[in-house]
Amino acid sequence: MSDETQELGITESKEHSPGEWYAEVVQKAGLADYAPMGGFIVTRPRGYALWEGLQNHLDGWFKQTGVQNAYFPMLIPESYLEAEKDIVEGFDPEVAWVTHGGHEELEERLAVRPTSESIITPFMSQWIRSHRDLPMRLNQWCSVIRWEATDTKPFFRTKEFLWQEGHTAHRDREGAWDETMTRLDQYERLYEDVLAIDVLTGRKPDHDKFPGADTTTSVEALMPDGKSVQGGTSHYLGTGFAEAYDVTYADEDEEEQLAHTTSWGTSWRALGALIMSHSDDQGLVLPPAIAPEQVVIVPIWQEDTREEVLEYCEGLQSDLEATGLSVNLDDRDERNPGFKFNEWELKGIPLRIEVGPNEVDDEEVTMVHRPDGENVVADRADLVSAVEDALDTVHAKLFAASEERLEEGVREAHGRADILGTIGQHGGYVKTGWCGEESCETEIKDQIAAEIVAVPMEDDEEHETPVHDTCGVCGEESVTTAYFAKSY
Ligand SMILES: [Zn+2]
Protein backbone atom coordinates (compact mmCIF):
# COMPACT_ATOMS: atom_id res chain seq x y z
CA MET A 1 0.00 0.00 0.00
CA SER A 2 1.41 3.38 -0.94
CA ASP A 3 1.37 6.28 1.51
CA GLU A 4 -1.24 7.89 -0.60
CA THR A 5 -3.54 4.87 -0.36
CA GLN A 6 -3.18 4.83 3.41
CA GLU A 7 -4.11 8.46 3.62
CA LEU A 8 -7.13 7.78 1.49
CA GLY A 9 -8.30 4.80 3.52
CA ILE A 10 -10.32 4.54 6.73
CA THR A 11 -8.11 3.95 9.76
CA GLU A 12 -10.73 3.64 12.52
CA SER A 13 -12.77 0.51 13.14
CA LYS A 14 -16.55 0.55 12.91
CA GLU A 15 -16.80 -2.10 15.57
CA HIS A 16 -14.34 -0.72 18.09
CA SER A 17 -14.65 3.04 17.70
CA PRO A 18 -17.92 3.73 15.89
CA GLY A 19 -17.91 7.48 16.64
CA GLU A 20 -14.43 8.12 15.21
CA TRP A 21 -15.09 5.72 12.34
CA TYR A 22 -18.28 7.58 11.41
CA ALA A 23 -16.54 10.97 11.42
CA GLU A 24 -13.73 9.58 9.27
CA VAL A 25 -16.10 8.04 6.68
CA VAL A 26 -18.04 11.29 6.39
CA GLN A 27 -14.90 13.33 5.79
CA LYS A 28 -12.86 10.92 3.67
CA ALA A 29 -15.78 9.97 1.44
CA GLY A 30 -16.11 13.70 0.75
CA LEU A 31 -19.60 14.11 2.23
CA ALA A 32 -19.11 16.91 4.75
CA ASP A 33 -16.66 19.00 6.74
CA TYR A 34 -17.00 20.74 10.09
CA ALA A 35 -17.90 24.43 9.88
CA PRO A 36 -16.02 27.03 11.98
CA MET A 37 -19.03 27.38 14.32
CA GLY A 38 -19.72 24.41 16.59
CA GLY A 39 -22.86 22.56 15.59
CA PHE A 40 -22.70 23.41 11.90
CA ILE A 41 -21.36 21.45 8.95
CA VAL A 42 -20.47 22.18 5.36
CA THR A 43 -22.12 19.73 2.99
CA ARG A 44 -19.80 18.83 0.14
CA PRO A 45 -21.02 17.90 -3.35
CA ARG A 46 -21.00 14.13 -2.73
CA GLY A 47 -22.99 14.63 0.47
CA TYR A 48 -25.40 17.05 -1.15
CA ALA A 49 -25.92 14.60 -4.02
CA LEU A 50 -27.22 12.10 -1.46
CA TRP A 51 -29.64 14.70 -0.15
CA GLU A 52 -30.79 15.39 -3.72
CA GLY A 53 -31.28 11.68 -4.26
CA LEU A 54 -33.50 11.46 -1.18
CA GLN A 55 -35.34 14.60 -2.27
CA ASN A 56 -36.04 13.27 -5.76
CA HIS A 57 -37.72 10.15 -4.48
CA LEU A 58 -39.71 11.75 -1.69
CA ASP A 59 -40.71 14.85 -3.65
CA GLY A 60 -42.02 12.67 -6.48
CA TRP A 61 -44.18 10.65 -4.09
CA PHE A 62 -45.45 13.80 -2.39
CA LYS A 63 -46.52 15.30 -5.71
CA GLN A 64 -48.23 12.07 -6.77
CA THR A 65 -50.31 12.33 -3.63
CA GLY A 66 -51.51 15.90 -3.91
CA VAL A 67 -48.74 17.88 -2.24
CA GLN A 68 -47.57 21.25 -3.58
CA ASN A 69 -44.26 22.86 -2.70
CA ALA A 70 -44.10 26.40 -1.34
CA TYR A 71 -41.56 28.51 0.53
CA PHE A 72 -42.03 30.62 3.66
CA PRO A 73 -39.58 33.06 5.32
CA MET A 74 -36.92 31.61 7.58
CA LEU A 75 -37.61 34.35 10.16
CA ILE A 76 -40.81 34.25 12.20
CA PRO A 77 -42.13 37.15 14.32
CA GLU A 78 -42.17 36.31 18.01
CA SER A 79 -45.90 37.10 18.22
CA TYR A 80 -46.63 34.43 15.61
CA LEU A 81 -44.66 31.86 17.52
CA GLU A 82 -46.53 32.75 20.69
CA ALA A 83 -49.97 32.15 19.19
CA GLU A 84 -49.60 28.43 19.80
CA LYS A 85 -48.39 28.15 23.38
CA ASP A 86 -47.23 24.52 23.14
CA ILE A 87 -44.95 25.36 20.21
CA VAL A 88 -43.40 28.18 22.20
CA GLU A 89 -42.88 26.06 25.27
CA GLY A 90 -41.67 23.07 23.28
CA PHE A 91 -39.03 24.93 21.32
CA ASP A 92 -38.23 27.91 23.53
CA PRO A 93 -34.81 26.77 24.78
CA GLU A 94 -33.68 25.92 21.24
CA VAL A 95 -34.77 29.01 19.31
CA ALA A 96 -32.14 31.29 17.77
CA TRP A 97 -33.28 34.94 17.69
CA VAL A 98 -32.53 37.81 15.37
CA THR A 99 -32.57 41.01 17.44
CA HIS A 100 -30.85 43.50 15.15
CA GLY A 101 -31.09 44.55 11.53
CA GLY A 102 -27.82 46.26 10.77
CA HIS A 103 -27.23 48.54 13.77
CA GLU A 104 -30.93 48.98 14.60
CA GLU A 105 -32.54 46.96 17.30
CA LEU A 106 -35.73 45.37 15.97
CA GLU A 107 -39.06 46.31 17.55
CA GLU A 108 -40.03 42.68 17.57
CA ARG A 109 -37.54 39.85 17.77
CA LEU A 110 -37.57 37.36 14.90
CA ALA A 111 -37.13 33.66 15.47
CA VAL A 112 -35.04 31.62 13.06
CA ARG A 113 -37.56 28.89 12.29
CA PRO A 114 -37.20 25.79 14.44
CA THR A 115 -40.21 24.46 12.46
CA SER A 116 -42.78 26.45 10.50
CA GLU A 117 -46.28 25.67 11.81
CA SER A 118 -46.51 29.15 13.28
CA ILE A 119 -45.85 30.92 9.95
CA ILE A 120 -47.53 28.49 7.55
CA THR A 121 -50.77 27.88 9.44
CA PRO A 122 -51.80 31.59 9.57
CA PHE A 123 -51.51 31.73 5.77
CA MET A 124 -53.48 28.54 5.35
CA SER A 125 -56.11 30.27 7.44
CA GLN A 126 -56.24 33.10 4.87
CA TRP A 127 -56.28 30.78 1.87
CA ILE A 128 -58.92 28.37 3.11
CA ARG A 129 -62.47 29.67 2.79
CA SER A 130 -64.71 26.80 1.89
CA HIS A 131 -64.76 23.02 2.04
CA ARG A 132 -63.81 23.16 -1.65
CA ASP A 133 -60.37 24.48 -0.65
CA LEU A 134 -59.69 21.32 1.30
CA PRO A 135 -57.62 19.29 1.60
CA MET A 136 -54.75 21.75 1.33
CA ARG A 137 -51.33 20.12 1.25
CA LEU A 138 -48.15 22.23 1.37
CA ASN A 139 -44.55 21.23 1.72
CA GLN A 140 -41.31 23.13 1.93
CA TRP A 141 -37.72 22.01 1.54
CA CYS A 142 -35.57 24.19 3.75
CA SER A 143 -33.27 24.22 6.73
CA VAL A 144 -34.22 24.87 10.35
CA ILE A 145 -32.15 25.80 13.39
CA ARG A 146 -32.43 24.28 16.84
CA TRP A 147 -29.82 25.59 19.22
CA GLU A 148 -28.90 22.45 21.10
CA ALA A 149 -25.63 22.40 22.98
CA THR A 150 -24.32 19.01 21.98
CA ASP A 151 -21.31 17.59 20.20
CA THR A 152 -21.53 17.92 16.45
CA LYS A 153 -22.15 14.70 14.56
CA PRO A 154 -22.60 15.36 10.84
CA PHE A 155 -26.17 14.63 9.67
CA PHE A 156 -27.13 13.39 13.16
CA ARG A 157 -26.58 16.29 15.52
CA THR A 158 -26.21 19.75 14.03
CA LYS A 159 -27.81 23.04 15.03
CA GLU A 160 -28.86 23.70 11.45
CA PHE A 161 -30.22 20.83 9.42
CA LEU A 162 -31.84 20.31 6.04
CA TRP A 163 -35.31 18.84 6.01
CA GLN A 164 -38.72 18.96 4.46
CA GLU A 165 -41.80 19.93 6.41
CA GLY A 166 -45.27 19.17 5.14
CA HIS A 167 -48.34 20.99 6.46
CA THR A 168 -51.88 20.01 5.54
CA ALA A 169 -55.44 20.93 6.45
CA HIS A 170 -58.50 18.68 6.11
CA ARG A 171 -62.21 18.74 6.75
CA ASP A 172 -62.28 16.13 9.44
CA ARG A 173 -60.32 13.80 11.63
CA GLU A 174 -60.52 10.95 9.16
CA GLY A 175 -58.99 12.94 6.31
CA ALA A 176 -56.20 14.25 8.51
CA TRP A 177 -55.49 10.84 10.00
CA ASP A 178 -55.28 9.24 6.54
CA GLU A 179 -52.84 11.98 5.58
CA THR A 180 -50.72 11.27 8.66
CA MET A 181 -50.57 7.59 7.71
CA THR A 182 -49.86 8.28 4.02
CA ARG A 183 -46.76 10.28 4.96
CA LEU A 184 -45.62 7.71 7.51
CA ASP A 185 -45.94 5.03 4.80
CA GLN A 186 -43.88 7.16 2.41
CA TYR A 187 -41.14 7.55 5.02
CA GLU A 188 -41.17 3.79 5.56
CA ARG A 189 -40.89 3.33 1.79
CA LEU A 190 -38.00 5.80 1.64
CA TYR A 191 -36.10 3.80 4.23
CA GLU A 192 -36.86 0.38 2.81
CA ASP A 193 -36.82 0.92 -0.96
CA VAL A 194 -34.27 3.72 -1.27
CA LEU A 195 -32.01 3.51 1.78
CA ALA A 196 -32.27 -0.29 2.20
CA ILE A 197 -32.97 0.07 5.92
CA ASP A 198 -35.67 -1.90 7.71
CA VAL A 199 -37.67 0.19 10.19
CA LEU A 200 -40.11 -0.06 13.02
CA THR A 201 -43.15 2.18 12.86
CA GLY A 202 -45.22 3.32 15.79
CA ARG A 203 -46.41 6.30 17.74
CA LYS A 204 -44.78 8.26 20.55
CA PRO A 205 -46.01 8.14 24.15
CA ASP A 206 -48.23 11.15 24.95
CA HIS A 207 -45.51 12.88 26.99
CA ASP A 208 -43.13 12.73 24.03
CA LYS A 209 -45.44 14.01 21.28
CA PHE A 210 -44.65 17.00 19.07
CA PRO A 211 -45.69 20.09 21.07
CA GLY A 212 -49.39 20.64 20.53
CA ALA A 213 -49.97 17.43 18.54
CA ASP A 214 -52.76 14.94 19.06
CA THR A 215 -50.66 12.00 17.85
CA THR A 216 -47.02 11.76 16.79
CA THR A 217 -45.99 8.78 14.69
CA SER A 218 -42.48 7.89 13.56
CA VAL A 219 -40.26 5.46 11.75
CA GLU A 220 -37.37 4.16 13.85
CA ALA A 221 -34.21 2.59 12.45
CA LEU A 222 -31.83 0.44 14.46
CA MET A 223 -28.16 1.26 13.99
CA PRO A 224 -25.34 -1.31 14.20
CA ASP A 225 -24.21 0.20 17.52
CA GLY A 226 -27.57 -0.72 19.07
CA LYS A 227 -29.04 2.80 19.14
CA SER A 228 -32.28 3.82 17.47
CA VAL A 229 -32.64 6.71 15.02
CA GLN A 230 -35.94 8.53 14.72
CA GLY A 231 -36.04 8.60 10.96
CA GLY A 232 -39.12 10.66 10.12
CA THR A 233 -42.19 11.86 11.97
CA SER A 234 -45.78 12.40 10.94
CA HIS A 235 -48.11 14.27 13.30
CA TYR A 236 -51.86 14.39 13.47
CA LEU A 237 -52.37 17.80 15.07
CA GLY A 238 -56.10 17.56 15.73
CA THR A 239 -57.82 20.97 15.78
CA GLY A 240 -55.44 22.65 18.24
CA PHE A 241 -53.40 24.48 15.61
CA ALA A 242 -56.49 25.29 13.57
CA GLU A 243 -57.99 26.87 16.68
CA ALA A 244 -54.86 28.82 17.56
CA TYR A 245 -54.43 30.20 14.03
CA ASP A 246 -58.10 30.28 13.05
CA VAL A 247 -58.13 27.75 10.22
CA THR A 248 -61.83 27.40 9.50
CA TYR A 249 -63.96 26.64 6.46
CA ALA A 250 -67.58 26.92 5.44
CA ASP A 251 -69.11 23.48 4.97
CA GLU A 252 -71.89 22.60 2.47
CA ASP A 253 -74.46 24.24 4.73
CA GLU A 254 -72.35 27.39 5.05
CA GLU A 255 -71.64 26.46 8.67
CA GLU A 256 -68.18 27.43 9.90
CA GLN A 257 -66.05 24.42 10.87
CA LEU A 258 -62.55 24.00 12.32
CA ALA A 259 -60.08 22.24 10.05
CA HIS A 260 -57.96 19.29 11.19
CA THR A 261 -54.27 19.68 10.44
CA THR A 262 -51.15 17.55 10.10
CA SER A 263 -47.45 18.13 9.79
CA TRP A 264 -44.70 15.73 8.84
CA GLY A 265 -40.99 15.91 8.29
CA THR A 266 -37.82 14.07 7.59
CA SER A 267 -34.33 15.48 7.70
CA TRP A 268 -30.83 14.71 6.57
CA ARG A 269 -30.60 12.51 9.62
CA ALA A 270 -31.80 9.87 7.14
CA LEU A 271 -28.38 10.25 5.51
CA GLY A 272 -26.72 9.72 8.88
CA ALA A 273 -28.70 6.51 9.30
CA LEU A 274 -27.76 5.49 5.76
CA ILE A 275 -24.04 6.05 6.30
CA MET A 276 -24.01 4.33 9.65
CA SER A 277 -26.13 1.34 8.60
CA HIS A 278 -24.24 0.01 5.63
CA SER A 279 -20.74 1.46 5.55
CA ASP A 280 -17.69 -0.51 6.67
CA ASP A 281 -13.98 -0.27 7.39
CA GLN A 282 -13.30 0.35 3.68
CA GLY A 283 -15.60 3.38 3.68
CA LEU A 284 -19.01 4.34 2.46
CA VAL A 285 -21.52 1.77 1.18
CA LEU A 286 -24.51 3.07 -0.78
CA PRO A 287 -27.62 1.35 -2.09
CA PRO A 288 -28.04 1.88 -5.85
CA ALA A 289 -31.28 3.85 -5.49
CA ILE A 290 -29.53 6.79 -3.83
CA ALA A 291 -25.95 6.46 -5.09
CA PRO A 292 -25.06 9.46 -7.30
CA GLU A 293 -23.03 7.03 -9.44
CA GLN A 294 -24.30 3.47 -9.52
CA VAL A 295 -21.50 1.89 -11.53
CA VAL A 296 -17.81 2.61 -11.92
CA ILE A 297 -15.86 1.03 -14.77
CA VAL A 298 -12.16 0.53 -14.08
CA PRO A 299 -10.05 -0.34 -17.13
CA ILE A 300 -6.95 -2.44 -16.53
CA TRP A 301 -4.50 -1.96 -19.35
CA GLN A 302 -0.86 -2.25 -20.37
CA GLU A 303 0.77 0.09 -22.83
CA ASP A 304 -0.14 -2.15 -25.80
CA THR A 305 -3.73 -2.93 -24.74
CA ARG A 306 -4.74 0.55 -23.64
CA GLU A 307 -6.62 1.49 -26.75
CA GLU A 308 -8.75 -1.65 -27.14
CA VAL A 309 -9.59 -1.83 -23.41
CA LEU A 310 -10.61 1.80 -23.30
CA GLU A 311 -12.74 1.50 -26.40
CA TYR A 312 -14.50 -1.54 -24.94
CA CYS A 313 -15.15 0.37 -21.69
CA GLU A 314 -16.60 3.34 -23.54
CA GLY A 315 -19.03 0.96 -25.24
CA LEU A 316 -20.10 -0.40 -21.84
CA GLN A 317 -20.57 3.08 -20.48
CA SER A 318 -22.76 4.27 -23.32
CA ASP A 319 -24.93 1.11 -23.28
CA LEU A 320 -25.50 1.48 -19.54
CA GLU A 321 -26.09 5.23 -19.65
CA ALA A 322 -28.70 4.68 -22.36
CA THR A 323 -30.80 2.83 -19.76
CA GLY A 324 -30.62 5.76 -17.35
CA LEU A 325 -27.88 4.47 -15.06
CA SER A 326 -25.22 6.84 -13.83
CA VAL A 327 -21.83 5.42 -14.81
CA ASN A 328 -18.35 6.68 -14.07
CA LEU A 329 -15.57 5.52 -16.40
CA ASP A 330 -12.35 6.01 -14.47
CA ASP A 331 -9.85 6.39 -17.30
CA ARG A 332 -7.31 8.42 -15.33
CA ASP A 333 -3.83 7.60 -16.55
CA GLU A 334 -2.04 8.73 -13.41
CA ARG A 335 -3.75 6.20 -11.09
CA ASN A 336 -3.29 2.45 -11.07
CA PRO A 337 -6.30 0.09 -10.84
CA GLY A 338 -5.62 -0.81 -7.19
CA PHE A 339 -5.78 2.85 -6.19
CA LYS A 340 -9.00 3.29 -8.14
CA PHE A 341 -10.59 0.22 -6.52
CA ASN A 342 -9.83 1.65 -3.07
CA GLU A 343 -11.06 5.10 -3.92
CA TRP A 344 -14.42 3.97 -5.28
CA GLU A 345 -14.87 1.55 -2.41
CA LEU A 346 -14.26 4.44 -0.04
CA LYS A 347 -16.82 6.55 -1.90
CA GLY A 348 -19.40 3.81 -1.89
CA ILE A 349 -20.17 3.14 -5.57
CA PRO A 350 -22.43 0.04 -5.42
CA LEU A 351 -20.99 -1.84 -8.40
CA ARG A 352 -17.55 -1.91 -10.00
CA ILE A 353 -16.91 -3.30 -13.47
CA GLU A 354 -13.35 -4.40 -14.14
CA VAL A 355 -12.18 -4.71 -17.71
CA GLY A 356 -8.78 -6.05 -18.78
CA PRO A 357 -7.56 -7.53 -22.07
CA ASN A 358 -9.03 -10.92 -21.10
CA GLU A 359 -12.53 -9.49 -20.72
CA VAL A 360 -12.17 -7.83 -24.10
CA ASP A 361 -11.03 -11.07 -25.77
CA ASP A 362 -13.74 -13.19 -24.12
CA GLU A 363 -16.43 -10.54 -24.57
CA GLU A 364 -17.22 -10.52 -20.90
CA VAL A 365 -17.34 -8.15 -17.93
CA THR A 366 -16.33 -8.77 -14.32
CA MET A 367 -18.64 -7.12 -11.80
CA VAL A 368 -17.74 -6.64 -8.14
CA HIS A 369 -20.41 -5.93 -5.52
CA ARG A 370 -19.35 -3.16 -3.11
CA PRO A 371 -20.93 -4.54 0.08
CA ASP A 372 -19.14 -7.92 0.13
CA GLY A 373 -16.70 -7.98 -2.80
CA GLU A 374 -18.59 -10.78 -4.57
CA ASN A 375 -17.35 -11.26 -8.15
CA VAL A 376 -19.72 -12.06 -10.99
CA VAL A 377 -18.70 -12.57 -14.62
CA ALA A 378 -21.30 -11.79 -17.29
CA ASP A 379 -21.40 -11.92 -21.06
CA ARG A 380 -20.98 -8.60 -22.83
CA ALA A 381 -24.16 -9.37 -24.74
CA ASP A 382 -26.16 -9.48 -21.46
CA LEU A 383 -24.52 -6.38 -20.01
CA VAL A 384 -27.61 -4.32 -19.23
CA SER A 385 -29.67 -7.05 -17.61
CA ALA A 386 -26.62 -8.39 -15.74
CA VAL A 387 -25.87 -4.96 -14.29
CA GLU A 388 -29.51 -4.35 -13.36
CA ASP A 389 -29.62 -7.75 -11.61
CA ALA A 390 -26.37 -7.01 -9.81
CA LEU A 391 -27.69 -3.66 -8.56
CA ASP A 392 -30.90 -5.32 -7.34
CA THR A 393 -28.78 -7.91 -5.57
CA VAL A 394 -26.69 -5.21 -3.89
CA HIS A 395 -29.86 -3.54 -2.58
CA ALA A 396 -31.24 -6.91 -1.43
CA LYS A 397 -28.01 -7.75 0.43
CA LEU A 398 -28.02 -4.44 2.27
CA PHE A 399 -31.70 -4.68 3.17
CA ALA A 400 -31.36 -8.28 4.34
CA ALA A 401 -28.55 -7.30 6.72
CA SER A 402 -30.65 -4.46 8.10
CA GLU A 403 -33.71 -6.69 8.42
CA GLU A 404 -31.71 -9.28 10.31
CA ARG A 405 -30.30 -6.64 12.63
CA LEU A 406 -33.78 -5.39 13.46
CA GLU A 407 -35.16 -8.88 13.92
CA GLU A 408 -32.36 -9.81 16.32
CA GLY A 409 -32.45 -6.38 17.91
CA VAL A 410 -35.93 -6.66 19.42
CA ARG A 411 -35.88 -8.51 22.75
CA GLU A 412 -38.53 -9.01 25.37
CA ALA A 413 -37.66 -8.13 28.95
CA HIS A 414 -39.72 -7.66 32.11
CA GLY A 415 -38.65 -6.10 35.37
CA ARG A 416 -36.27 -3.19 35.99
CA ALA A 417 -33.11 -5.28 36.21
CA ASP A 418 -34.02 -7.29 33.14
CA ILE A 419 -34.75 -4.19 31.05
CA LEU A 420 -31.58 -2.39 32.14
CA GLY A 421 -29.46 -5.51 31.71
CA THR A 422 -30.83 -6.36 28.26
CA ILE A 423 -30.32 -2.87 26.84
CA GLY A 424 -26.97 -2.52 28.62
CA GLN A 425 -25.66 -5.77 27.19
CA HIS A 426 -27.15 -5.86 23.68
CA GLY A 427 -28.50 -2.41 22.87
CA GLY A 428 -31.43 -2.62 20.48
CA TYR A 429 -35.07 -2.50 21.49
CA VAL A 430 -36.57 -3.92 24.64
CA LYS A 431 -40.20 -4.80 24.23
CA THR A 432 -42.17 -4.82 27.44
CA GLY A 433 -45.58 -4.09 28.95
CA TRP A 434 -46.13 -0.47 29.99
CA CYS A 435 -48.66 1.14 32.33
CA GLY A 436 -48.67 4.42 30.42
CA GLU A 437 -47.01 6.48 33.21
CA GLU A 438 -44.13 8.74 32.23
CA SER A 439 -42.46 8.06 35.58
CA CYS A 440 -41.76 4.47 34.55
CA GLU A 441 -39.94 5.67 31.47
CA THR A 442 -38.06 8.28 33.53
CA GLU A 443 -36.81 5.58 35.83
CA ILE A 444 -35.15 3.72 32.95
CA LYS A 445 -33.99 6.96 31.32
CA ASP A 446 -32.25 8.14 34.48
CA GLN A 447 -30.28 4.93 34.77
CA ILE A 448 -29.15 4.19 31.21
CA ALA A 449 -30.54 6.99 29.01
CA ALA A 450 -32.90 4.61 27.23
CA GLU A 451 -36.42 5.82 26.52
CA ILE A 452 -39.64 4.65 24.96
CA VAL A 453 -39.05 5.24 21.25
CA ALA A 454 -42.32 3.70 20.07
CA VAL A 455 -45.59 2.21 21.19
CA PRO A 456 -47.79 0.33 18.74
CA MET A 457 -50.53 2.18 16.87
CA GLU A 458 -53.93 2.02 18.51
CA ASP A 459 -55.23 -0.46 15.95
CA ASP A 460 -52.22 -2.73 16.45
CA GLU A 461 -52.68 -5.97 18.34
CA GLU A 462 -49.69 -5.20 20.57
CA HIS A 463 -51.50 -2.13 21.72
CA GLU A 464 -54.76 -3.97 22.37
CA THR A 465 -53.05 -6.96 23.98
CA PRO A 466 -49.68 -5.89 25.39
CA VAL A 467 -46.79 -8.34 25.30
CA HIS A 468 -46.97 -8.49 29.14
CA ASP A 469 -50.04 -8.12 31.39
CA THR A 470 -48.10 -5.87 33.70
CA CYS A 471 -45.77 -2.89 33.29
CA GLY A 472 -42.16 -4.03 32.91
CA VAL A 473 -41.03 -1.25 35.26
CA CYS A 474 -43.63 -0.83 38.06
CA GLY A 475 -45.64 -4.05 37.82
CA GLU A 476 -49.02 -2.29 37.59
CA GLU A 477 -51.43 -3.30 34.87
CA SER A 478 -50.10 -2.59 31.36
CA VAL A 479 -52.10 -0.69 28.76
CA THR A 480 -49.81 -1.23 25.77
CA THR A 481 -46.54 -2.69 24.64
CA ALA A 482 -43.62 -0.24 24.64
CA TYR A 483 -40.25 -0.31 22.87
CA PHE A 484 -37.39 1.05 24.97
CA ALA A 485 -34.06 1.91 23.33
CA LYS A 486 -31.15 4.30 23.51
CA SER A 487 -31.49 6.72 20.68
CA TYR A 488 -29.66 9.36 18.68
ZN1 LIG B 1 -45.35 1.40 35.07
Side-chain angles (χ1 to χ4, degrees):
M1 221 186 241
S2 70
D3 288 348
E4 202 173 22
T5 315
Q6 279 170 0
E7 194 188 313
L8 187 71
I10 303 295
T11 57
E12 299 285 353
S13 141
K14 183 176 189 180
E15 190 185 344
H16 298 112
S17 42
E20 290 80 1
W21 166 85
Y22 178 83
E24 209 184 357
V25 170
V26 165
Q27 286 187 285
K28 290 195 169 171
L31 304 179
D33 268 324
Y34 294 86
M37 318 81 79
F40 292 81
I41 60 169
V42 175
T43 310
R44 299 180 64 184
R46 297 195 82 84
Y48 200 76
L50 295 179
W51 180 244
E52 287 177 318
L54 177 151
Q55 247 181 340
N56 288 341
H57 288 281
L58 215 46
D59 202 60
W61 300 336
F62 289 163
K63 285 173 181 161
Q64 283 162 16
T65 45
V67 179
Q68 294 179 303
N69 285 333
Y71 188 79
F72 290 77
M74 73 182 305
L75 302 180
I76 302 176
E78 184 168 19
S79 54
Y80 275 58
L81 215 58
E82 279 174 345
E84 217 295 329
K85 68 171 177 26
D86 289 322
I87 281 267
V88 167
E89 282 167 17
F91 287 100
D92 189 48
E94 299 175 2
V95 174
W97 294 100
V98 174
T99 56
H100 288 73
H103 299 294
E104 300 273 312
E105 191 171 343
L106 302 178
E107 273 174 35
E108 181 178 11
R109 313 194 278 175
L110 302 172
V112 182
R113 62 182 165 225
T115 178
S116 303
E117 276 78 1
S118 56
I119 185 86
I120 293 181
T121 323
F123 283 89
M124 292 176 93
S125 156
Q126 289 182 33
W127 298 334
I128 294 167
R129 286 285 165 259
S130 114
H131 61 92
R132 283 180 291 272
D133 299 322
L134 296 174
M136 181 173 284
R137 300 184 176 97
L138 301 176
N139 177 63
Q140 76 173 347
W141 292 95
C142 62
S143 74
V144 293
I145 288 190
R146 296 181 188 171
W147 211 267
E148 292 172 276
T150 48
D151 291 341
T152 312
K153 195 176 180 77
F155 306 117
F156 270 116
R157 273 194 311 269
T158 48
K159 290 187 173 80
E160 180 186 23
F161 54 88
L162 291 176
W163 80 342
Q164 60 67 219
E165 47 178 318
H167 300 269
T168 69
H170 307 261
R171 300 175 61 150
D172 50 24
R173 183 187 197 285
E174 197 193 349
W177 181 255
D178 284 352
E179 177 75 19
T180 309
M181 290 298 103
T182 298
R183 303 312 156 198
L184 188 69
D185 287 348
Q186 290 176 338
Y187 293 150
E188 189 176 5
R189 182 173 162 200
L190 173 76
Y191 274 80
E192 296 185 353
D193 295 355
V194 178
L195 307 179
I197 298 174
D198 197 12
V199 289
L200 224 142
T201 60
R203 61 186 181 90
K204 295 288 172 186
D206 283 345
H207 60 261
D208 195 26
K209 291 185 304 196
F210 177 74
D214 176 280
T215 308
T216 287
T217 66
S218 70
V219 296
E220 302 285 328
L222 183 60
M223 296 296 102
D225 64 1
K227 286 190 193 173
S228 181
V229 172
Q230 180 178 298
T233 51
S234 185
H235 315 286
Y236 167 54
L237 301 173
T239 53
F241 282 79
E243 212 160 341
Y245 296 102
D246 195 28
V247 185
T248 60
Y249 67 95
D251 67 14
E252 281 91 341
D253 304 321
E254 295 297 319
E255 299 275 337
E256 184 160 292
Q257 304 285 351
L258 266 182
H260 291 243
T261 63
T262 79
S263 68
W264 25 275
T266 193
S267 74
W268 69 14
R269 176 177 275 214
L271 303 183
L274 169 76
I275 298 159
M276 198 175 280
S277 285
H278 306 307
S279 303
D280 59 24
D281 291 352
Q282 275 65 56
L284 190 63
V285 175
L286 296 174
I290 199 166
E293 295 152 313
Q294 284 127 343
V295 180
V296 60
I297 303 172
V298 179
I300 304 163
W301 63 54
Q302 303 295 331
E303 203 57 46
D304 56 335
T305 52
R306 185 179 187 279
E307 202 169 325
E308 57 166 332
V309 167
L310 203 53
E311 195 181 322
Y312 189 84
C313 289
E314 283 163 356
L316 301 181
Q317 183 180 29
S318 72
D319 283 6
L320 291 171
E321 283 180 345
T323 69
L325 290 169
S326 166
V327 182
N328 176 358
L329 169 56
D330 188 352
D331 58 2
R332 288 176 293 175
D333 273 320
E334 71 278 16
R335 298 293 186 203
N336 64 42
F339 181 95
K340 294 176 182 178
F341 294 173
N342 287 334
E343 179 170 358
W344 300 119
E345 278 177 8
L346 172 68
K347 292 186 172 160
I349 297 191
L351 192 71
R352 176 171 83 232
I353 296 180
E354 300 176 7
V355 176
N358 292 338
E359 274 83 5
V360 177
D361 289 344
D362 300 342
E363 297 194 11
E364 287 175 343
V365 289
T366 298
M367 301 180 296
V368 184
H369 298 185
R370 169 63 182 91
D372 57 2
E374 188 188 339
N375 263 268
V376 182
V377 176
D379 286 339
R380 171 66 177 88
D382 304 333
L383 174 75
V384 169
S385 64
V387 165
E388 283 171 350
D389 285 352
L391 292 173
D392 287 347
T393 305
V394 166
H395 180 95
K397 280 177 180 173
L398 296 175
F399 186 73
S402 169
E403 202 176 20
E404 190 182 326
R405 182 188 310 135
L406 180 58
E407 224 168 81
E408 288 172 359
V410 179
R411 299 177 182 82
E412 279 181 37
H414 198 263
R416 290 177 181 84
D418 196 10
I419 295 172
L420 295 174
T422 305
I423 296 180
Q425 193 185 344
H426 305 286
Y429 301 105
V430 155
K431 194 171 150 180
T432 192
W434 180 45
C435 64
E437 291 298 325
E438 184 177 1
S439 55
C440 285
E441 183 195 46
T442 310
E443 220 178 286
I444 301 296
K445 211 176 189 170
D446 288 348
Q447 301 232 27
I448 52 166
E451 57 190 351
I452 298 175
V453 295
V455 299
M457 299 290 184
E458 311 221 318
D459 56 0
D460 192 315
E461 201 178 317
E462 286 194 319
H463 175 72
E464 300 292 332
T465 317
V467 61
H468 302 111
D469 297 340
T470 55
C471 174
V473 184
C474 69
E476 296 292 315
E477 193 186 340
S478 65
V479 296
T480 182
T481 298
Y483 290 80
F484 281 83
K486 293 188 183 182
S487 67
Y488 276 99

